[in-house]
Amino acid sequence: MSGEEFVPLSLTPLLIGTFAAIACALPGNFLVLRKQALIGDAISHVVLPGIVVAFLLTGAISTWPMMLGAAGASIVAVVMIEAIRRLGQIEPGAAMGVVFTTMFAGGVLLLEQTDTSTVHLDVEHALYGNLESLIWLDAVGWSSLLDLTALAGLPPELPRIALTLAGVILFIWLFWRPLKISTFDEGFARTIGIRTGALGMALVIMAAISAVAAFDAVGSIIVIAMFICPPAAARMMTNRLETQIAWSVSFATVSAVSGYVLAGYGPLWLGGADAVSAAGMIATMSGLILAATVLWGPCRTRAGAPQAS
């Protein structure tokens, strides 16, 4: 494929998919170690009431109100999950189950009890995304990367997910030491003055922001897979946290690129006529990478968490 075809048709979907995968995989490392990896699944259920409330308040079906409503619902959900987990002294999975089923049911009830039940709220798009449609119509080739007029026509999902990724990286960089200590020894972290409750809440809120930012572009299929598969696969490769994070970023990038390419060209190579879902293929590749590391990873038989130092 020449630059005249690749840049407008494939460059932006590839970048968006890759940035979304990395933005979810980075906090996913800490969530996996804290046994909160299913927070992405919880968020995919709780965005519905936020989307409905956003429509009721604004009367408009547009990206930013829906995204802000979904983000608000996600933050409420993670606060409730942490509160139930700590006050009720129950497992994180049980707390998630209580919260996301309740909020999803509340969203459905809200839809049925208001006039929005007959309005096409774009819930399906927010949950499943459509990565293939995020093309750069104003691009004519590689020279468009230096053309301010063409750059103004970039899909808005690209700067949005790039900004989210930058925020995730900044958060982990700023709170690296407290995150590392509290992840491996929460009791010791409290004794040296780290506010583990607030830090844990900030981590899940950052994960919620990453998930919601990715929903509009790539959908919950990639989000849930990337929160779990790259970090879990990276865990099979090393016993050091820093190295684990590097492996997870590599696995997320490989999954996004190979999944997108195989979705478009794999069926053609096998004699088919149609492409398949890029989001589904990216999730499939991340699952295959995880399976390979479980079978052949050097740390697959070692118990315990990675080393904190």
Side-chain angles (χ1 to χ4, degrees):
M1 180 183 292
S2 64
E4 288 75 12
E5 295 178 345
F6 175 78
V7 173
L9 298 179
S10 297
L11 179 61
T12 49
L14 268 175
L15 290 176
I16 292 169
T18 302
F19 290 168
I22 297 174
C24 293
L26 284 174
N29 285 281
F30 297 97
L31 294 176
V32 166
L33 294 174
R34 291 166 177 250
K35 300 181 180 179
Q36 294 178 301
L38 288 179
I39 193 70
D41 187 35
I43 293 170
S44 70
H45 286 76
V46 305
V47 295
L48 179 58
I51 290 173
V52 177
V53 170
F55 174 77
L56 293 175
L57 292 177
T58 64
I61 303 176
S62 56
T63 298
W64 278 111
M66 298 301 174
M67 292 293 290
L68 291 175
S74 300
I75 293 173
V76 169
V78 296
V79 171
M80 292 175 61
I81 289 170
E82 281 294 301
I84 293 174
R85 184 179 72 86
R86 292 180 179 276
L87 298 178
Q89 297 295 312
I90 63 175
E91 290 294 323
M96 291 180 195
V98 170
V99 171
F100 71 62
T101 52
T102 301
M103 292 189 68
F104 184 75
V108 173
L109 182 63
L110 191 61
L111 272 175
E112 294 299 323
Q113 296 300 316
T114 62
D115 293 334
T116 60
S117 59
T118 58
V119 177
H120 176 61
L121 293 176
D122 207 2
V123 178
E124 183 174 342
H125 177 68
L127 293 180
Y128 302 107
N130 190 10
L131 187 59
E132 298 89 344
S133 69
L134 302 178
I135 59 178
W136 186 8
L137 295 176
D138 293 339
V140 294
W142 292 108
S143 61
S144 298
L145 296 174
L146 302 176
D147 187 345
L148 295 179
T149 302
L151 289 173
L154 278 170
E157 290 83 0
L158 179 56
R160 189 182 305 149
I161 195 63
L163 183 62
T164 301
L165 176 58
V168 170
I169 294 173
L170 180 62
F171 171 79
I172 293 177
W173 179 72
L174 289 175
F175 297 99
W176 173 256
R177 183 173 179 272
L179 277 172
K180 186 164 59 173
I181 295 173
S182 62
T183 296
F184 296 109
D185 194 336
E186 187 173 355
F188 175 70
R190 286 196 296 266
T191 63
I192 62 174
I194 297 176
R195 299 178 61 185
T196 57
L199 185 61
M201 185 69 64
L203 175 64
V204 291
I205 288 175
M206 184 59 64
I209 293 172
S210 300
V212 172
F215 280 160
D216 186 49
V218 299
S220 63
I221 295 175
I222 294 181
V223 170
I224 296 172
M226 291 304 158
F227 269 126
I228 300 174
C229 291
R235 175 65 191 93
M236 299 295 102
M237 300 300 295
T238 180
N239 276 329
R240 299 187 64 86
L241 179 60
E242 293 84 350
T243 311
Q244 175 181 323
I245 289 178
W247 272 112
S248 69
V249 171
S250 300
F251 287 148
T253 302
V254 170
S255 298
V257 174
S258 62
Y260 184 82
V261 172
L262 289 175
Y265 295 99
L268 299 178
W269 294 338
L270 296 175
D274 300 317
V276 298
S277 167
M281 185 57 71
I282 291 172
T284 299
M285 293 304 299
S286 67
L288 291 176
I289 291 174
L290 175 58
T293 58
V294 169
L295 292 174
W296 299 296
C299 299
R300 67 187 185 280
T301 59
R302 300 179 188 177
Q307 298 175 11
S309 59

